[in-house]
Amino acid sequence: MSLLTLPDSILHPLLVASSLTLGPGASAEAAARPIVAAPDSGRAEAVALAAADTTRRPPRRSDYLMPSGVTYHYERPKPFRFLLNIPRDVVAYPKFAFQKKNLPVIGGVVVSTVVLYAFDQQILDGAKQFGRHLHLSSASTQTTLFDVPVRYGNGKQLDLEFNYPSNLNSAMYFLGDGWTHLSIAGSFWAYGLIGRDNRASQTASQVMEAVYTNGLVVQVLKHLTGRESPYTTTYPRGKIRLFPNQKTYSQHVPNYDAYPSGHLSTAMATVTVIAENYPEYRFVRPVGYSLMGLLSYAMLNNGVHWASDYPLALALGYGFGKIAVMHGRQEVKRDQETGLLMPQPWYKQVRLTPTGGGGSYGLTMQYRW
């Protein structure tokens, strides 16, 4: 650490400190305490205060070693940058899905959809009967906690309602609600901000990216397939009206928007993103899939979806979750001879931290390689 003394015309001296962390892969936390050399003894007290400053925030965590032995680098995401990634993810999905290794999965989605469609009415009736046996209400009702009026246009108003489920079936159905996944993403974002944890921040961004991309594609498919929801249909297994009139669709949405399930695909996307980023927590998938099972049953019990609406929904959510993760982190390569992690570009390894106290101000620069 060195002190640069500026001319007397400058009111406050600038304290410039630099600490060098040696050794490949050495962490910033292990850096030695800087040594201070003061050319002006009159400022010795100010320099001592700056050297003793222990209020610096912990360094931002960006590199993570996974249980598989692979190290991933996570950049700090820019706010709402994920919105710009949606077109890229939509284009990337066919290439991701229609790989040779995924042909059995594609076949499974097609076959399971056909089989479930053949027994849709029996499955639905059985789910409702089971619910009545458990005295489980089939109504999906929510109570408004509060609402926020948003005015737009010429005196028009949109009320953003914040609701909570009123019964058990509604609580299970709420697992796929957009507010649920927004709350999950917000929790990761808050943890990443407070703990300076880039993996958590990226997880929040990736969840939102996957949910919004998935939602866009699901809505397009709903508008193309036009399948009736169970609670509105008078036909066994629901009527399918391919390429419906969009004006009629907007006026009678439940008559057209059953296939595929947006709630289930959104839940799958969220679980996939979290599980991929946190493989050391092996309970994420079992717990997530169990909750998705409850959600799937709730949507049968309340007549929102048919069972055959689910296979494609799961495939979409899983795919968009994987794509968001792949684009949201970078594998850190190892040198083939030494096995050591190859460093990030130098400009990504410089960390500047302001310091100050006692009328003196400075800047700590840390460089890691």
Side-chain angles (χ1 to χ4, degrees), residues 124 128 140 173 228-231 254 257-258 261 263 298-306 309-310:
L124 183 78
K128 288 180 172 294
S140 289
Y173 182 57
E228 284 183 316
S229 297
Y231 76 95
D257 76 333
S261 169
H263 276 58
M299 294 189 294
L300 292 174
N301 189 44
N302 64 15
V304 173
H305 280 292
W306 309 93
D309 297 335
Y310 295 163

Side-chain angles (χ1 to χ4, degrees), residues 242-292:
L242 295 176
F243 309 108
N245 180 282
Q246 295 305 304
K247 183 177 180 180
T248 306
Y249 182 107
S250 64
Q251 295 172 345
H252 307 280
V253 174
N255 293 334
Y256 300 93
D257 76 333
Y259 184 81
S261 169
H263 276 58
L264 189 59
S265 59
T266 298
M268 186 61 165
T270 299
V271 172
T272 301
V273 169
I274 297 173
E276 289 291 320
N277 284 321
Y278 292 87
E280 64 270 31
Y281 297 102
R282 298 184 179 181
F283 64 85
V284 172
R285 279 194 169 90
V287 172
Y289 293 161
S290 298
L291 294 175
M292 288 165 55

Side-chain angles (χ1 to χ4, degrees), residues 74-91:
Y74 291 82
E75 288 288 333
R76 184 182 182 185
K78 296 181 180 180
F80 301 104
R81 180 61 184 268
F82 66 86
L83 294 173
L84 300 179
N85 298 335
I86 293 177
R88 175 200 65 186
D89 293 357
V90 172
V91 173

Side-chain angles (χ1 to χ4, degrees), residues 68-233:
S68 61
V70 177
T71 299
Y72 287 106
H73 176 77
Y74 291 82
E75 288 288 333
R76 184 182 182 185
K78 296 181 180 180
F80 301 104
R81 180 61 184 268
F82 66 86
L83 294 173
L84 300 179
N85 298 335
I86 293 177
R88 175 200 65 186
D89 293 357
V90 172
V91 173
Y93 187 86
K95 183 178 180 180
F96 169 82
F98 295 102
Q99 301 180 63
K100 186 176 181 180
K101 65 179 182 180
N102 290 335
L103 291 180
V105 177
I106 297 173
V109 170
V110 173
V111 171
S112 60
T113 299
V114 173
V115 172
L116 289 173
Y117 178 77
F119 296 95
D120 260 336
Q121 193 62 53
Q122 293 92 320
I123 294 173
L124 183 78
D125 294 341
K128 288 180 172 294
Q129 183 177 357
F130 182 69
R132 289 193 295 268
H133 177 73
L134 296 179
H135 304 288
L136 185 65
S137 173
S138 61
S140 289
T141 57
Q142 298 181 9
T143 301
T144 301
L145 187 62
F146 62 92
D147 61 79
V148 178
V150 178
R151 300 185 182 279
Y152 66 97
N154 298 324
K156 297 181 179 179
Q157 178 175 309
L158 174 66
D159 292 326
L160 296 179
E161 296 183 348
F162 294 82
N163 304 325
Y164 64 91
S166 304
N167 55 52
L168 180 57
N169 194 84
S170 298
M172 294 190 294
Y173 182 57
F174 199 73
L175 292 171
D177 192 87
W179 286 114
T180 301
H181 302 281
L182 179 62
S183 300
I184 293 173
S187 299
F188 276 100
W189 175 82
Y191 179 80
L193 181 66
I194 296 172
R196 298 176 65 79
D197 188 318
N198 279 6
R199 179 168 65 163
S201 300
Q202 268 290 348
T203 299
S205 179
Q206 292 167 19
V207 166
M208 297 306 297
E209 179 179 331
V211 166
Y212 274 85
T213 309
N214 176 80
L216 173 64
V217 173
V218 166
Q219 284 303 316
V220 171
L221 292 174
K222 286 177 179 290
H223 282 72
L224 294 178
T225 54
R227 187 181 189 185
E228 284 183 316
S229 297
Y231 76 95
T232 63
T233 187

